[in-house]
Amino acid sequence: MTVADLKKLLEPMFDAMLHDHERATLSYHLEQRVGEQWLGDKEPLGDDDVVGSTMTWVRWEVLDEEGGSASLDLDGSPEELVEAVQSDLQDFIAETSFAWGELRQPRTQP
């Protein structure tokens, strides 16, 4: 799976979880580690890079607040991967100043 493939899976989830004004400020990228080493010295992976390690994280920024996912489980189904990132995004949303304490469910299913 490439970074571009993974982004295609995640885009509908971001659309469903974030309000339009929040979504308009979203920027995100993927980072990857092998052992204790960050690949590319913590540089974001490019769209053509292959994501082949379970040491991959999605990092995002919404309304100037930064967060991210836990390490992605790339061995499961695409649906399970998206659900795991969605859970991490929900936790992030609930801890932000713009949506403190909100328990958001997707507005539409991705």
Side-chain angles (χ1 to χ4, degrees), residues 87-98:
S87 176
D88 292 335
L89 179 63
Q90 167 53 55
D91 291 346
F92 165 78
I93 290 168
E95 295 172 0
T96 64
S97 62
F98 63 83

Side-chain angles (χ1 to χ4, degrees), residues 4-75:
D5 295 331
L6 188 52
K7 285 181 175 181
K8 285 179 188 174
L9 290 174
L10 296 177
E11 287 289 323
M13 182 270 310
F14 284 120
D15 292 341
M17 292 294 292
L18 296 170
H19 296 302
D20 292 341
H21 70 284
E22 297 161 354
R23 180 66 170 93
T25 71
L26 171 71
S27 64
Y28 72 99
H29 64 273
L30 278 74
E31 296 175 357
Q32 195 168 40
R33 260 173 66 158
V34 175
E36 296 299 315
Q37 299 272 327
W38 285 100
L39 295 182
D41 195 25
K42 288 184 85 172
E43 290 296 316
L45 297 174
D47 284 348
D48 294 331
D49 288 331
V50 174
V51 181
S53 163
T54 56
M55 299 297 284
T56 302
W57 286 262
V58 181
R59 296 289 180 228
W60 54 71
E61 184 175 327
V62 178
L63 293 172
D64 296 323
E65 297 193 43
E66 295 181 7
S69 70
S71 181
L72 302 179
D73 180 6
L74 301 171
D75 294 329

